[in-house]
Amino acid sequence: MINPYLQALFNCKQGDKVVTGLKTYRAVIISICLVLSFLMHVQAQDNDVWHVNFVDEDLSNALTKLSLLSETNIIFSPDQIGDRTVTLSFTGSTAEILLRLLSETGMGFKDRNGQFVLYVPRRKEARYFIRGYVEDDETGERLTSAHVLETGSGIGTSTNEFGYFSLKVPGKTAHLRVSYLGFITDTTEVSIAGDVINIRMQKSLTLKEVVIYSDKKDRYHVVSLDGEKIRPDGIESAAGLGGEFDLHQYTVQLPGVTTGTDGIGGINIRGGNNDQNLVLMDGVPIYNPTHAIGVLSVFNPYIINDAQLSTGSFPARYAGRLSSVMDVHTKEGSYRKWGFTGGIGTLSANALIEGPIVKDKVTLLIAGRIFVPQSFLRKLSVNDKEKNGVKGFTNYTFNDVNVKLNAVLSSRDRIYLSYYRGKDTYKDVTEQKTFTDEVRLFETFDKSLEWGNSVGILRWNHELGARTFSNLTLTTSQFSLQSLDVIDFKATVLTDPRYTIEGFVHREFKSRIEDLAIKWDVDHMIGARTKLRFGISMTRHYFKPKSIAFDDQAEIEGFVVDEGTIDDALFAGLFVKAGEYGLYIEDDMQITSKLRANGGLRISAFSNGSKTYFNPEPRLKLTYSVSDKLSVEVAASRMVQYIHLLTSSGIGLPTDLWVPSSEKVKPQTAGQISTGAVWSPESHLSLGWQIYYKRMHHLTQYKEGASFLLKEGAVEAGIIDAADWENKVVQGEGVAYGSEWQAKVHYSKWDASVNYTLSKSERKFDKLNFGNPFPFKFDRRHNVSATGSYHFNQIITATANWTYGSGSPITLAESKFLYPGSGAFLPLAILEIGERNGYRLPAYHRLDLGISATWHRPKAQHTLNFSLYNAYGRRNLLYVTLTRDSEAQVFENRQFSVLPFIPSLSYQIRL
Amino acid sequence: MRVSLLRICIIGLVAVGFWQCSSPIELDYSNFQPKLVINAQVSADGQFVVSVTSSTTPVSVEEGDVPDGLKVTLRDITLGINILLYRENDLFYAPFQVKPRPGNEYVFKAIAPGYDDVEAITRIPEQLNLLRFEVTDFQVKPSEVTPLKSNVNYNLELDFGDQGDAYLHLIFRQRSTIRSGAVGVPVYEEIMYTIEPEFPEESGYIKHVEQGILIALSEVESNPLVFSFVDFTIDALFEELGNVQVEVRTISPEYYNYFESLSRQLLNSQDPFAEPIQVFSNVDGGLGNFSSYNVAIYEIGLF
């Protein structure tokens, strides 16, 4: 018999009762239910049959309603239930309905004197290991960081950077639910047959999602603000310079990241220098990660599989830099079919071809990119020079190429061979004729600048057993820079043609760093909840910075100097070599169902022959899941950096030099603590917050006015080698702290995210700014980036990005006074320079708009993108400088800005 | 070279950004407050000349003038006496009745309507003794470039022993005898001119903006100090190469810091990207420098 009060409340009846989804505050209902049940002393009526119909009903609500309906006490703890929802239309007894309701939860119930008591059964001890790869069904490409959950036990893990996972499960049969952004989440039943399994995932045809995926059914899956995965598939519609996704342009919008104007100057993470960012291409450091002096990334957008930026909590496997790790994984290439992706935009033209040489066994990928407007720029420069009465041209270009060959040797062995080379080239040639009544002078000025990276990787993945995955890597990474400045001249005295003077001046600067490295990394599953990683690495660095200047009068160390050429033997013996070694162990452990820890220790060493350094680098990150919606984390790390980037410009020009630590110049170190929280109150909303405090020691910088290229005084003929760089630098301390905020909203039609960073970063060098602290060059107090996209339909998407940054610090002259000189020495104007970085440029802000259309044809996917970079034409200042006319002793302030309003059109096709 | 490279990079930016925008910018100097600028060094040999001018905005075409109504005072704090200054044109002179002595402390003050009062203090340092002064590796070789001329190369070694940290300003001069006049009627003339040594960057020496070398002994590792004079070209007119002279100024820290920073700022003034160099000042409320030095002169023959 049903209580009339309840009948009225829920509009249901015995025998044929329909419970509609009524949203009521859970705790209130539970209380009412228990009180009413107690008052009525209702006994369980297990013989009665009820009909229920729940649609996306909170499980706790459903249980409460069932309790009220059946007038039976159902005792449970809301903590056990969590936020699970149920959909069930069923007719049966209370016990039968309970059985159905709890079938997906792993919970059980017992009948205790007519009351049903819900409980979480003690889990069976996981005993079997299941391992395998998660891959794209269409291409066979391995999916990194895919989430794998065993539904029965609730134990989950993620694939490593090679798409491999190993999971300890209780039974010989497991139900694996695999999820990955942009792919259909699916559950697969697998048997433990002892061999490696391949789980194939199918791409989702729905609109791409940008939000971080949070699997609420996985007790061990946690979401962190630090280390967000960046996947071009999910964000390629974001309008960027040139109308295409660019990793560098995207990264500078993330919380905690600052940069110079328009990205020039590299990125600065949490108050760190731009040399403190470890940029990895498939695990190998890239020394200069941008083309065009910081405007574009060296990573071809077609080649990127995913990337991850860590700014505070560094696992022990990463080493060598203080401030961040940008770990970029490139695509392997399709194992199933040949494909082509090509595109052309205002800035670059890209192409990628990939496919199986042997199906499912060997795959090849080749990608290339070139700078498009070079011929336009050259023509522009020719006209410009002609207007100025001279001949010549200016040319700039960049290009890069990626080649990758992967082979599956067996189910346990894979070999990867890859190569990358990227180069920027600038050339300026001017031919000038000066005719007077007495002299005829021909001059040619030839300036060129080339810089680029190259990376080679040979990798062997081997599964040592069901629990252990090994990765052995041999790598080489190079960064080189060459600058030539050649002047040829020929002067004829018309009054006496016998007097003809010919000559040249040749100035050359070369800088090169070469790394040869071997490293061995091992993933080892200890138990269901503990994953151990350990490894060893050895890197041999060769630093080859040199500078040479000579003219036709010079004799350099007995070498014959011909015009325009330098015998490389001059440079052969001039290099510094050093070794860097690392040994690490890292434990990723699920301590309780709510607490996860990633701790590790790295012992690093560095030797340049005369001095050896050892350093421990402890790392710890604790994440506590308060609920399915809220997690908090705290991290602490110590990082050591043994190599230093010397920059005299501060804006990341490729003339900067990498140099090693030495007896005089100590390694840079940093200690950082951070804490934060991620709260997802609704499924479409995610809020993140972090604060951090970082101290840096032995930061290295040129002395005021010093430069590798210039001796104190006039440049003289001869080689300036690397031997004396230690005397040109000073070391000091740095401190940075701040708070980062992030909000992301995702609906079916539109996405939006807002990032805000409030930060401060200072430097203190005994020999700079008279020993007083001063702001870091890229210390911007406020940074905001807001991104939104609207999907009109499956084809058209509109995007808008707005970026704001407080003005960056700059040093300016405050006044001028005369140094009177003595005797015959003429008075000179001297500038009173204010506090170092004591002034601020105007705030930086920019709006980018874009609209893209993507449509599918049977054999091809086309994308057309139109974007407006700096849509309202804000003239953001790169820098302000006081220029001096040395003869007139007159000064003038000049401002420099780049990248105004730039419309871009790009087209892409995928076959 | 660096200027050329930076030009390349600047133009590179143009290429990347399609065009760059460079234009004059007017910064707001409406609140500019000029300061008094002192330039003076007290010498133990009794020389003291001081200029007091005013600072201007960086972009001003005017040079700092001597402020109207300027009053200056110089006082020997150690002896407790004021020293009379007299003005000639735009400079002030101090006719010391008693030569300044090492260890004596002086304070200089200047006031002028519309300016903050300024004050600076210096103490005359003890003179460092030169323990050894020697010419080494002396060579005269015929020039390979210019016939009938020879190149002279030699090193000068100056040993100050271990007398503690001190600051030095060394000025080198050469005293030679040259022959002039008509053939058969030679005229011999003694000349003296300043010579500048070459030194490696790691030496820690700083070239003074006018002449000589600035040295902070605490920053120098080598002892004795070695200076190379390279490829000094002589011809047949040189009757006698003569002597080399070194003026050893033991300078106060303010002297060193001021001229070291000032010299480096001027050397780097053509580089638009280089971090600007702050010029040291010990003048409270103003700019410039009031410092002191002690001096001794040594001379040695080149043969």
Side-chain angles (χ1 to χ4, degrees), chain A residues 149-214:
Chain A
L149 173 74
E150 205 283 306
T151 55
S153 60
I155 295 171
T157 189
S158 297
T159 56
N160 68 7
E161 56 267 45
F162 307 104
Y164 177 86
F165 72 94
S166 177
L167 194 63
K168 199 173 185 182
V169 295
K172 288 191 173 180
T173 303
H175 291 84
L176 298 184
R177 201 159 73 80
V178 186
S179 53
Y180 189 76
L181 187 73
F183 286 77
I184 297 170
T185 300
D186 200 8
T187 303
T188 311
E189 182 178 317
V190 293
S191 298
I192 314 298
D195 205 358
V196 177
I197 60 168
N198 284 337
I199 298 175
R200 296 181 173 187
M201 299 192 70
Q202 292 186 327
K203 279 203 171 82
S204 169
L205 297 177
T206 57
L207 288 173
K208 291 160 183 170
E209 295 180 341
V210 182
V211 294
I212 303 168
Y213 184 81
S214 175

Side-chain angles (χ1 to χ4, degrees), chain A residues 264 292-293 295 346-347 373 377 394 396 426 447-449 483-485 507-509 547-549 553 555 648-649 651 653 655 664 704-707 709-713 715-716 724 727-728 767 769-770 777 811-822 825 828-836 875 877-882 884 886 891-902, chain B residues 1-27 29 32-33 35 37-39 41 51 53-64 91 144-145 198-211 219 221 258-259 261-262 264-281 286-288:
Chain A
I264 292 171
I293 319 176
V295 175
T346 309
L347 278 188
L377 287 171
T394 303
Y396 168 79
Y426 171 80
K447 305 172 196 299
S448 65
L449 186 64
S483 165
L484 278 175
D485 185 358
R507 289 162 174 164
E508 181 171 351
F509 172 76
S547 180
I548 186 167
Q553 302 292 309
E555 295 172 17
S648 56
S649 67
I651 63 168
L653 293 175
T655 50
K664 269 188 175 179
E704 281 184 332
S707 164
L709 298 172
L710 188 64
K711 282 188 171 184
E712 304 236 352
V715 178
E716 295 165 1
D724 65 342
N727 295 301
K728 297 182 177 180
K767 294 187 177 177
N769 202 40
F770 305 122
K777 182 174 271 295
T811 309
L812 289 177
E814 291 185 341
S815 69
K816 181 183 71 172
F817 62 92
L818 277 186
Y819 167 66
S822 59
F825 197 79
L828 283 173
I830 305 298
L831 293 173
E832 181 206 2
I833 305 297
E835 287 284 308
R836 192 181 181 92
R875 182 173 289 184
L877 294 189
L878 181 63
Y879 64 92
V880 172
T881 186
L882 191 66
R884 176 199 298 246
S886 56
F891 294 85
E892 180 186 53
N893 282 310
R894 295 190 74 81
Q895 58 181 352
F896 290 80
S897 61
V898 293
L899 300 184
F901 166 77
I902 300 176
Chain B
M1 172 186 277
R2 180 169 58 171
V3 174
S4 301
L5 277 167
L6 292 169
R7 278 184 60 196
I8 290 174
C9 295
I10 293 168
I11 300 168
L13 287 175
V14 181
V16 173
F18 301 107
W19 67 93
Q20 76 161 6
C21 183
S22 164
S23 57
I25 182 173
E26 295 290 332
L27 299 183
Y29 293 111
F32 176 75
Q33 172 65 42
K35 295 176 182 173
V37 183
I38 311 300
N39 265 295
Q41 285 80 44
S51 83
T53 55
S54 65
S55 63
T56 64
T57 69
V59 294
S60 170
V61 292
E62 295 175 1
E63 296 179 349
L91 299 174
E144 294 177 1
V145 179
E198 288 188 7
F199 51 86
E201 280 188 85
E202 64 268 24
S203 64
Y205 306 157
I206 304 291
K207 189 179 180 313
H208 186 279
V209 63
E210 291 191 47
Q211 57 182 359
E219 308 247 332
E221 290 178 357
Y258 177 64
F259 283 104
S261 55
L262 185 144
R264 288 195 297 114
Q265 184 187 102
L266 291 170
L267 278 170
N268 289 279
S269 62
Q270 294 301 311
D271 184 348
F273 285 97
E275 285 291 347
I277 294 168
Q278 294 172 311
V279 175
F280 172 84
S281 175
L287 298 169

Side-chain angles (χ1 to χ4, degrees), chain B residues 48 60 83 90 94 112 115 188 193 218 220 225 238 256 272 278 290:
Chain B
F48 181 75
S60 170
I83 296 159
D90 289 339
Y115 294 85
Y188 298 100
Y193 43 92
S218 60
V220 175
L225 307 178
F238 271 75
Y256 177 84
Q278 294 172 311
F290 173 63

Side-chain angles (χ1 to χ4, degrees), chain A residues 538-552:
Chain A
M538 289 178 281
T539 304
R540 195 70 172 161
H541 300 286
Y542 294 88
F543 301 88
K544 299 179 176 178
K546 297 161 205 81
S547 180
I548 186 167
F550 61 90
D551 57 22
D552 48 328

Side-chain angles (χ1 to χ4, degrees), chain A residues 719-791:
Chain A
I719 298 172
I720 307 166
D721 66 20
D724 65 342
W725 69 270
E726 293 167 277
N727 295 301
K728 297 182 177 180
V729 301
V730 288
Q731 291 200 294
E733 312 295 309
V735 62
Y737 46 91
S739 178
E740 299 161 0
W741 306 75
Q742 185 177 60
K744 288 189 171 188
V745 184
H746 169 63
Y747 286 100
S748 59
K749 285 264 185 185
W750 59 278
D751 306 295
S753 69
V754 178
N755 299 320
Y756 170 68
T757 303
L758 172 67
S759 62
K760 186 172 184 179
S761 179
E762 281 188 339
R763 298 286 187 269
K764 187 174 186 302
F765 287 68
D766 288 343
K767 294 187 177 177
L768 296 180
N769 202 40
F770 305 122
N772 298 317
F774 58 90
F776 175 48
K777 182 174 271 295
F778 295 99
D779 173 44
R780 297 183 189 271
R781 190 72 63 246
H782 306 279
N783 273 280
V784 181
S785 74
T787 304
S789 62
Y790 184 79
H791 311 285

